[in-house]
Amino acid sequence: MNTVTLLTIAGVLIIVGLASYAGYLLLQLKKQKELQQQHRELAIKKRNANIFESVDTICLATIQGQCDLSEAAIRLYNIMDYVQGDERVDFDKEFPATAELFHIVKDMPRGDARQEMEKQQRMRDNLTRQKAEARLNDAIVEELKTLQRTVQPLNDQIDIKLVG
């Protein structure tokens, strides 16, 4: 065998070895990306489960009369905006009465800001809120029952385990 043949064989072996190693690295990268995607999906499910637990509690408290309809509408509308993935809900479309009440009261001052308002303006806001709550009460309670049933099956505690 001459030198050129030996160098050619060595070169081919080196190229085959490097190609095999590159293939191995690409396979490892693919596995890592799949694992990251699984972790991302589990994290979303866990976060949604925590959100749904809060939603369930707010719905129950409101249905039992322990929470004002306006406060529930504000809290539910805002918290459901954080739901990710397939469980995401178009609140305006799925729960129109609750969304309507939210849009009526969302800009009304609350807490200390409400106390600083003029008495007449505060009374006007109260009247507007109370009229809307009275008009939408039955529809909102039914929507909250539906929402509670919707999030109940999804409200599982999800254990996140590292897959390695």
Side-chain angles (χ1 to χ4, degrees), residues 116-132:
E116 294 172 4
M117 292 172 57
E118 292 180 18
K119 185 176 182 179
Q120 210 169 19
Q121 181 60 39
R122 192 170 45 224
M123 289 172 57
R124 259 185 258 142
D125 281 357
N126 281 346
L127 183 61
T128 302
R129 180 181 50 78
Q130 288 170 348
K131 281 182 180 178

Side-chain angles (χ1 to χ4, degrees), residues 55-106:
V55 167
D56 183 53
T57 303
I58 294 168
C59 288
L60 183 62
T62 306
I63 290 167
Q64 292 176 349
Q66 298 172 3
C67 181
D68 291 334
L69 290 178
S70 296
E71 187 66 26
I74 290 169
R75 289 176 185 267
L76 291 171
Y77 193 94
N78 287 324
I79 197 170
M80 288 298 287
D81 193 40
Y82 289 102
V83 174
Q84 295 176 307
D86 296 336
E87 287 88 23
R88 190 154 177 84
V89 174
D90 181 358
F91 214 80
D92 289 309
K93 182 180 173 186
E94 301 284 329
F95 305 101
T98 307
E100 181 181 346
L101 182 60
F102 167 77
H103 291 297
I104 291 170
V105 300
K106 71 179 177 182

